[in-house]
Amino acid sequence: MSVQLRSQINEASGRAPARSATVPVKIAAENVNVYYGPKHALKAINLMIGEKQVTALIGPSGCGKSTFLRCLNRMNDTIGICRVEGLITLDRENIYDKSIDVVQLRARVGMVFQKPNPFPKSIFDNIVYGPRIHGLATTRDELDEIVQISLERAGLWSEVKDRLREPGTGLSGGQQQRLCIARAIAVSPEVILMDEPCSALDPIATAHIEELIDELRENYTIVIVTHNMQQAARVSQRTAFFHLGEMVEIGDTEEIFTNPRDERTQGYITGRYG
Amino acid sequence: MSNEHIVRSYSLELERLRTLVSQMGGLAEAQVEAAVSAVFRRDVEQANQVIGADQRVDGYEREIDAEAIRLLALRQPMGLDLREIIAALKIATDIERIGDYAANIAKRSIPLSQLPPVRPAQSVPRMGRLVQQIVKEVLDSYTAWDVTKAIAARARDNELDDLYTSLFRELLTHMMEDPRNITPCTHLLFIAKNLERIGDHATNIAETIHYVVVGTPITDARPKNDDSNFAVVTPPSEQPASGDNK
């Protein structure tokens, strides 16, 4: 299975496309419906997430984009009244299958939230918590290595390497968010889900996270929910627009923001949404 | 273009940008008309008016640039708004060039009016009328976002190229007939070239309108009928029988 990518501008100018024409599918959602009690929150969603790509989910509040994101690592399981129907596969494996260990799944599909939420522990302990409970590392040397690599990948190592024993909550907001990303990375996930990771950060901290997202897509598949359309435009290769529980349109990011096909997308991105 | 923005001032600013482009187009259109008429009527005063008014065309371009840059910086436009603002920048550049060509035609009409009339000068108004029609139709289609009309006007550029090529040959023939024709005919040649270039800028504008409305660049290459690049007219001495072909 592969996602066909359109890149009209490149085709028209005859230049080689900036990205390969096809990328393997990491996550596939087929006919996904989600209900919160009687409320039909997501309606027949079909969506492919390409491997080692950033896919942005945009849409007005309550459109279902966060609900969809939370389906991808079964975070919705924790909500009693929530019912998920349809098929979601990770590497072609049904993640809602009975044989799936949800804890293992969440190690493969990590998550970063809107508000930085480091544990009330040291920076070091924040990072090693996941690897310890998953049994990925036991010796001090192994843990040290994981801490350094994770913090380096999250672009935080140089800022905190001399104060790893200090509480994670003592960092600035932007640093805390990068700590949370480092914590997600520490268990070697394949996919990172980000739910408005920059909405609580200032523009400089936001720029650091965006730069980080750009680097992380070398190694990880990233799905990001954002209300900031410029951010979606800057960091993602594919963008999906959600509206009233439907996935209205998905396409190459540059196409969605310069020439969307659907009137509702056009209205939303240009600020005409009523 | 479609319904209003949630932020009303944004819609108003876009509307203002659109108005500026339309006004600039209208002015350039009038400049072309006046310049062609100055050639035909040998009217130095009108020529000087056209030359003087070119500053106003340039002023519009600066104003449109400033307004477009401001919108890009402050509104971070997306989708059709983005396309429209980029289009305004491009169209203003094309109109500014059209204005320059009109001013150049007016300048050349001044020495031309002091020289004895030459016959090919009769063909200039015909070419001028066609250019004016194309420019007008393209600018009308900008105001109405009528892509069909824009593309139809763009196709008419071929007729213009044909007229230019035939005028080019006619002028060469006249210069060969009598060296005293060389000065006026050279001015007329440049005037014809300027009109032909105005047509090309009008087709650019039509293509930009296509981009705004459809969202993708126009892909079909416009067939070019300007064969003057390859024109050869043999002097009468080498070909005594034919001479000039009127």
Side-chain angles (χ1 to χ4, degrees):
Chain A
M1 241 187 323
S2 60
V3 190
Q4 280 302 124
L5 293 183
R6 282 189 319 270
S7 191
Q8 285 188 323
I9 289 172
N10 285 333
E11 277 164 24
S13 63
R15 277 185 285 124
R19 301 175 294 280
S20 62
T22 57
V23 293
V25 169
K26 186 69 183 173
I27 298 175
E30 286 171 44
N31 197 25
V32 170
N33 285 280
V34 176
Y35 303 85
Y36 293 116
K39 187 181 183 312
H40 198 175
L42 277 183
K43 296 166 189 165
I45 306 294
N46 288 290
L47 204 159
M48 308 277 187
I49 308 283
E51 188 172 32
K52 290 179 185 174
Q53 257 193 341
V54 181
T55 304
L57 312 181
I58 61 168
S61 295
C63 68
K65 56 193 188 303
S66 290
T67 296
F68 180 74
L69 192 75
R70 295 160 63 88
C71 288
L72 302 182
N73 68 348
R74 293 184 55 176
M75 290 285 285
N76 288 330
D77 290 11
T78 60
I79 302 170
I81 57 163
C82 182
R83 197 166 90 248
V84 179
E85 290 173 1
L87 180 65
I88 299 177
T89 60
L90 174 66
D91 291 336
R92 300 188 205 182
E93 196 180 2
N94 180 4
I95 63 167
Y96 282 85
D97 194 86
K98 285 193 172 63
S99 65
I100 291 283
D101 175 352
V102 179
V103 177
Q104 277 303 317
L105 172 71
R106 289 183 193 146
R108 289 174 70 192
V109 184
M111 192 151 187
V112 176
F113 297 87
Q114 180 172 0
K115 272 181 73 178
N117 55 353
F119 302 133
K121 291 166 176 282
S122 72
I123 294 168
F124 186 92
D125 286 338
N126 262 279
I127 307 288
V128 300
Y129 182 82
R132 260 190 193 135
I133 61 163
H134 286 290
L136 299 177
T138 42
T139 69
R140 180 61 209 235
D141 283 354
E142 284 171 335
L143 291 172
D144 279 346
E145 195 188 337
I146 285 177
V147 167
Q148 180 166 351
I149 289 173
S150 305
L151 286 170
E152 275 172 357
R153 285 202 169 166
L156 195 59
W157 175 249
S158 61
E159 291 164 57
V160 301
K161 64 178 192 290
D162 299 321
R163 45 177 173 145
L164 295 174
R165 293 291 157 196
E166 288 174 26
T169 49
L171 297 170
S172 75
Q175 287 172 327
Q176 284 187 29
Q177 195 62 306
R178 278 180 284 154
L179 176 61
C180 293
I181 292 171
R183 187 178 62 186
I185 292 170
V187 293
S188 304
E190 295 155 42
V191 181
I192 304 174
L193 310 177
M194 299 185 174
D195 196 351
E196 297 189 48
C198 300
S199 60
L201 305 182
D202 71 34
I204 300 296
T206 298
H208 282 298
I209 302 284
E210 288 180 5
E211 169 61 20
L212 176 58
I213 291 171
D214 217 34
E215 286 169 16
L216 290 176
R217 84 178 151 94
E218 291 274 305
N219 299 304
Y220 306 97
T221 300
I222 296 172
V223 187
I224 178 170
V225 163
T226 175
H227 274 143
N228 181 332
M229 280 179 292
Q230 278 73 33
Q231 177 169 70
R234 287 188 300 258
V235 302
S236 72
Q237 287 75 55
R238 301 275 286 173
T239 297
F241 173 63
F242 282 68
H243 184 241
L244 298 175
E246 286 175 53
M247 206 274 298
V248 171
E249 184 170 358
I250 181 165
D252 282 3
T253 295
E254 66 186 35
E255 189 140 336
I256 291 285
F257 287 109
T258 58
N259 188 21
R261 276 149 211 283
D262 196 281
E263 278 292 310
R264 290 167 289 179
T265 317
Q266 182 83 259
Y268 183 70
I269 63 166
T270 60
R272 288 181 173 88
Y273 178 74
Chain B
M1 207 166 186
S2 65
N3 50 329
E4 292 278 297
H5 289 88
I6 297 165
V7 181
R8 264 189 52 235
S9 57
Y10 187 7
S11 290
L12 295 176
E13 284 166 16
L14 272 174
E15 186 59 47
R16 182 178 138 70
L17 185 66
R18 228 169 280 152
T19 307
L20 282 171
V21 174
S22 299
Q23 285 173 348
M24 183 185 186
L27 178 58
E29 211 179 305
Q31 287 280 90
V32 174
E33 189 178 352
V36 171
S37 137
V39 176
F40 183 61
R41 294 178 20 220
R42 303 165 73 84
D43 185 339
V44 176
E45 196 187 327
Q46 185 162 32
N48 279 321
Q49 277 172 14
V50 172
I51 296 163
D54 189 44
Q55 278 185 5
R56 284 174 54 212
V57 181
D58 295 351
Y60 268 114
E61 192 197 16
R62 281 192 296 276
E63 207 175 335
I64 288 163
D65 281 0
E67 193 68 16
I69 288 167
R70 211 172 69 85
L71 276 163
L72 288 172
L74 302 186
R75 304 287 183 192
Q76 285 107 45
M78 296 279 195
L80 70 88
D81 296 335
L82 177 64
R83 302 204 299 271
E84 191 183 336
I85 293 165
I86 296 300
L89 283 169
K90 293 181 73 168
I91 291 173
T93 306
D94 281 316
I95 299 176
E96 191 272 335
R97 293 301 301 156
I98 290 175
D100 284 351
Y101 288 124
N104 189 266
I105 292 168
K107 277 180 197 159
R108 291 183 184 279
S109 80
I110 296 171
L112 212 47
S113 69
Q114 283 139 25
L115 294 161
V118 284
R119 199 178 46 234
Q122 308 294 321
S123 303
V124 169
R126 208 169 126 219
M127 212 179 153
R129 267 196 305 280
L130 181 57
V131 171
Q132 283 164 43
Q133 277 171 20
I134 294 172
V135 170
K136 184 179 183 320
E137 277 166 35
V138 167
L139 291 172
D140 286 353
S141 60
Y142 171 79
T143 327
W145 295 121
D146 184 344
V147 75
T148 318
K149 192 172 181 179
I151 297 309
R154 172 179 178 261
R156 296 192 66 191
D157 192 49
N158 280 339
E159 297 171 41
L160 193 59
D161 289 347
D162 287 339
L163 273 181
Y164 173 63
T165 305
S166 73
L167 188 57
F168 183 86
R169 289 173 179 280
E170 198 183 341
L171 288 165
L172 289 191
T173 310
H174 263 268
M175 290 192 246
M176 279 182 257
E177 272 177 9
D178 185 346
R180 283 172 296 180
N181 286 341
I182 289 177
T183 306
C185 284
T186 305
H187 281 302
L188 284 170
L189 189 56
F190 275 108
I191 287 170
K193 182 71 198 169
N194 286 340
L195 290 171
E196 190 269 332
R197 293 295 298 145
I198 290 172
D200 289 345
H201 285 284
T203 64
N204 283 351
I205 296 173
E207 286 163 19
T208 305
I209 291 166
H210 180 280
Y211 171 69
V212 174
V213 176
V214 181
T216 52
I218 196 160
T219 43
D220 69 307
R222 190 178 59 82
K224 285 251 172 195
N225 281 13
D226 175 5
D227 297 329
S228 67
N229 294 339
F230 310 105
V232 175
V233 178
T234 323
S237 58
E238 288 173 28
Q239 204 181 43
S242 70
D244 58 336
N245 32 8
K246 289 151 202 155

